[in-house]
Coordinates of all heavy atoms in Angstrom, one line a residue:
D20 N 183.9 -103.3 136.0 CA 184.6 -102.0 135.9 C 183.9 -101.0 135.0 O 183.8 -99.8 135.4 CB 186.0 -102.2 135.3 CG 186.8 -101.0 135.2 OD1 187.2 -100.4 136.2 OD2 187.0 -100.5 134.0
L21 N 183.3 -101.4 133.9 CA 182.6 -100.4 133.0 C 181.5 -99.7 133.8 O 181.3 -98.5 133.7 CB 182.1 -101.1 131.8 CG 181.4 -100.2 130.8 CD1 182.3 -99.1 130.3 CD2 180.9 -101.0 129.6
R22 N 180.6 -100.5 134.4 CA 179.5 -99.9 135.1 C 179.9 -99.0 136.3 O 179.4 -97.9 136.4 CB 178.5 -101.0 135.7 CG 177.8 -101.7 134.6 CD 176.7 -102.6 135.2 NE 177.2 -103.6 136.1 CZ 177.6 -104.8 135.7 NH1 177.5 -105.2 134.5 NH2 178.0 -105.6 136.7
L23 N 180.9 -99.4 137.0 CA 181.4 -98.6 138.2 C 182.1 -97.4 137.7 O 182.0 -96.3 138.3 CB 182.3 -99.5 139.0 CG 181.6 -100.6 139.8 CD1 182.6 -101.6 140.4 CD2 180.6 -100.1 140.8
R24 N 182.9 -97.5 136.6 CA 183.6 -96.4 136.0 C 182.6 -95.3 135.5 O 182.8 -94.1 135.7 CB 184.5 -96.8 134.9 CG 185.4 -95.7 134.3 CD 186.2 -96.2 133.2 NE 187.1 -97.3 133.6 CZ 188.3 -97.2 134.2 NH1 188.8 -96.0 134.4 NH2 189.0 -98.2 134.5
T25 N 181.5 -95.8 134.9 CA 180.4 -94.9 134.5 C 179.9 -94.0 135.6 O 179.7 -92.8 135.5 CB 179.3 -95.6 133.8 OG1 179.8 -96.3 132.6 CG2 178.2 -94.7 133.3
L26 N 179.7 -94.7 136.8 CA 179.2 -94.0 138.0 C 180.3 -93.0 138.4 O 179.9 -91.8 138.8 CB 178.9 -95.0 139.1 CG 177.7 -96.0 138.8 CD1 177.5 -96.8 140.0 CD2 176.5 -95.2 138.4
A27 N 181.5 -93.4 138.5 CA 182.6 -92.5 139.0 C 182.7 -91.3 138.1 O 183.2 -90.2 138.6 CB 183.9 -93.3 139.0
E28 N 182.3 -91.3 136.9 CA 182.5 -90.2 136.0 C 181.3 -89.2 135.9 O 181.2 -88.3 135.1 CB 182.8 -90.7 134.5 CG 184.1 -91.4 134.4 CD 184.2 -92.1 133.0 OE1 183.2 -92.2 132.3 OE2 185.4 -92.6 132.7
S29 N 180.4 -89.4 136.9 CA 179.2 -88.6 136.9 C 179.4 -87.1 137.0 O 178.9 -86.3 136.3 CB 178.2 -89.1 138.1 OG 177.8 -90.4 137.9
G30 N 180.4 -86.8 137.9 CA 180.7 -85.4 138.1 C 181.3 -84.8 136.9 O 181.1 -83.6 136.5
A31 N 182.2 -85.6 136.2 CA 182.9 -85.1 135.0 C 181.9 -84.8 133.9 O 182.0 -83.9 133.1 CB 183.9 -86.1 134.6
R32 N 180.8 -85.7 133.8 CA 179.8 -85.5 132.8 C 179.0 -84.2 133.0 O 178.7 -83.5 132.1 CB 178.9 -86.7 132.7 CG 179.5 -87.9 132.1 CD 178.4 -88.9 131.7 NE 177.8 -89.5 132.9 CZ 178.2 -90.5 133.7 NH1 179.4 -91.1 133.3 NH2 177.5 -90.9 134.7
V33 N 178.8 -83.9 134.3 CA 178.1 -82.6 134.6 C 178.9 -81.4 134.1 O 178.5 -80.5 133.4 CB 177.8 -82.4 136.1 CG1 177.3 -81.0 136.4 CG2 176.7 -83.5 136.5
R34 N 180.2 -81.4 134.4 CA 181.1 -80.4 134.0 C 181.2 -80.3 132.4 O 181.2 -79.2 131.8 CB 182.5 -80.6 134.6 CG 182.5 -80.4 136.1 CD 184.0 -80.5 136.6 NE 184.0 -80.4 138.1 CZ 184.0 -81.4 138.9 NH1 184.0 -82.6 138.4 NH2 184.0 -81.2 140.2
R35 N 181.2 -81.5 131.8 CA 181.4 -81.5 130.4 C 180.2 -80.9 129.7 O 180.3 -80.1 128.8 CB 181.6 -82.9 129.9 CG 181.7 -83.1 128.4 CD 181.9 -84.5 128.0 NE 182.0 -84.7 126.6 CZ 182.0 -85.9 125.9 NH1 182.0 -87.0 126.6 NH2 182.0 -85.9 124.6
E36 N 179.0 -81.3 130.1 CA 177.8 -80.8 129.5 C 177.6 -79.4 129.7 O 177.2 -78.6 128.7 CB 176.5 -81.6 130.0 CG 176.5 -83.1 129.7 CD 176.2 -83.4 128.2 OE1 176.7 -82.6 127.4 OE2 175.6 -84.4 127.9
V37 N 177.8 -78.9 130.9 CA 177.6 -77.4 131.2 C 178.6 -76.6 130.4 O 178.3 -75.6 129.9 CB 177.6 -77.2 132.7 CG1 177.5 -75.7 133.0 CG2 176.4 -77.9 133.4
G38 N 179.9 -77.1 130.4 CA 180.9 -76.4 129.7 C 180.6 -76.3 128.2 O 180.7 -75.3 127.5
A39 N 180.1 -77.5 127.6 CA 179.9 -77.5 126.2 C 178.7 -76.6 125.8 O 178.6 -76.1 124.7 CB 179.6 -78.9 125.7
A40 N 177.7 -76.4 126.7 CA 176.6 -75.7 126.5 C 176.7 -74.2 126.9 O 175.7 -73.5 126.7 CB 175.3 -76.3 127.2
A41 N 177.8 -73.8 127.4 CA 178.0 -72.5 128.0 C 177.6 -71.4 127.0 O 176.9 -70.4 127.4 CB 179.4 -72.3 128.5
E42 N 178.1 -71.5 125.8 CA 177.8 -70.4 124.8 C 176.3 -70.3 124.5 O 175.7 -69.3 124.4 CB 178.6 -70.6 123.5 CG 178.4 -69.5 122.5 CD 179.3 -69.7 121.3 OE1 180.3 -70.5 121.4 OE2 179.0 -69.2 120.2
A43 N 175.7 -71.5 124.3 CA 174.3 -71.6 124.0 C 173.4 -71.1 125.2 O 172.4 -70.5 125.0 CB 173.9 -73.0 123.6
I44 N 173.9 -71.4 126.4 CA 173.2 -70.9 127.6 C 173.1 -69.4 127.6 O 172.1 -68.7 127.9 CB 173.8 -71.5 128.9 CG1 173.5 -73.0 129.0 CG2 173.2 -70.8 130.1 CD1 174.2 -73.7 130.1
E45 N 174.3 -68.8 127.3 CA 174.4 -67.3 127.2 C 173.4 -66.8 126.2 O 172.8 -65.7 126.4 CB 175.8 -66.9 126.9 CG 176.8 -67.1 128.0 CD 176.5 -66.3 129.2 OE1 175.9 -65.2 129.1 OE2 176.9 -66.7 130.3
E46 N 173.3 -67.4 125.1 CA 172.4 -67.0 124.0 C 171.0 -67.1 124.5 O 170.2 -66.1 124.3 CB 172.6 -67.9 122.8 CG 171.6 -67.5 121.6 CD 171.7 -68.6 120.5 OE1 172.8 -69.2 120.3 OE2 170.7 -68.7 119.8
A47 N 170.6 -68.2 125.1 CA 169.2 -68.4 125.6 C 168.9 -67.3 126.7 O 167.8 -66.8 126.7 CB 169.1 -69.8 126.1
V48 N 169.9 -67.1 127.6 CA 169.7 -66.1 128.6 C 169.4 -64.7 128.0 O 168.5 -64.0 128.4 CB 170.9 -66.1 129.6 CG1 170.8 -64.9 130.6 CG2 170.9 -67.4 130.4
S49 N 170.3 -64.3 127.1 CA 170.2 -63.0 126.5 C 168.8 -62.9 125.8 O 168.1 -61.8 125.9 CB 171.3 -62.8 125.4 OG 171.2 -61.6 124.8
R50 N 168.4 -63.9 125.1 CA 167.1 -63.8 124.4 C 165.9 -63.7 125.4 O 165.0 -63.0 125.2 CB 166.9 -65.1 123.5 CG 165.6 -65.2 122.9 CD 165.5 -66.4 121.9 NE 166.4 -66.2 120.8 CZ 166.9 -67.2 120.1 NH1 166.6 -68.5 120.5 NH2 167.7 -67.0 119.1
S51 N 166.0 -64.5 126.5 CA 165.0 -64.5 127.5 C 164.9 -63.2 128.2 O 163.7 -62.6 128.4 CB 165.2 -65.6 128.5 OG 164.2 -65.7 129.4
L52 N 166.0 -62.6 128.5 CA 166.0 -61.3 129.3 C 165.5 -60.2 128.4 O 165.1 -59.1 128.9 CB 167.4 -61.1 129.9 CG 167.8 -62.0 131.0 CD1 169.2 -61.7 131.4 CD2 166.8 -62.1 132.1
S53 N 165.6 -60.3 127.1 CA 165.2 -59.2 126.2 C 163.7 -59.2 126.0 O 163.1 -58.3 125.4 CB 165.8 -59.4 124.8 OG 165.4 -60.6 124.1
Q54 N 163.0 -60.3 126.6 CA 161.6 -60.4 126.4 C 160.9 -60.3 127.8 O 161.6 -60.4 128.8 CB 161.2 -61.7 125.7 CG 161.8 -61.9 124.4 CD 161.5 -63.3 123.8 OE1 161.4 -64.2 124.6 NE2 161.4 -63.4 122.5
A55 N 159.6 -60.1 127.8 CA 158.9 -60.2 129.1 C 158.9 -61.6 129.7 O 159.2 -62.6 129.0 CB 157.4 -59.8 128.8
R56 N 158.8 -61.6 131.0 CA 158.8 -62.9 131.7 C 157.7 -63.8 131.1 O 156.6 -63.3 130.9 CB 158.6 -62.7 133.2 CG 158.4 -64.0 134.0 CD 158.2 -63.8 135.4 NE 159.5 -63.6 136.0 CZ 159.8 -63.5 137.3 NH1 158.7 -63.5 138.2 NH2 161.0 -63.4 137.8
P57 N 158.0 -65.0 130.8 CA 157.0 -65.9 130.2 C 155.7 -66.1 131.1 O 155.8 -66.0 132.3 CB 157.7 -67.3 130.0 CG 158.9 -67.2 130.9 CD 159.3 -65.8 131.0
R58 N 154.6 -66.3 130.4 CA 153.4 -66.5 131.1 C 153.4 -67.8 131.9 O 152.9 -67.9 133.0 CB 152.2 -66.5 130.1 CG 150.9 -66.9 130.7 CD 149.8 -66.9 129.6 NE 150.1 -67.9 128.6 CZ 149.3 -68.1 127.6 NH1 148.2 -67.4 127.4 NH2 149.6 -69.1 126.7

Side-chain angles (χ1 to χ4, degrees):
D20 180 70
L21 179 59
R22 290 192 299 270
L23 294 170
R24 188 182 299 274
T25 299
L26 298 182
E28 294 171 348
S29 297
R32 286 195 295 275
V33 169
R34 293 186 180 93
R35 179 182 176 187
E36 294 290 33
V37 175
E42 185 176 339
I44 290 172
E45 290 294 336
E46 177 187 336
V48 169
S49 177
R50 175 177 293 157
S51 181
L52 294 180
S53 68
Q54 300 174 330
R56 172 176 280 184
R58 174 182 61 180

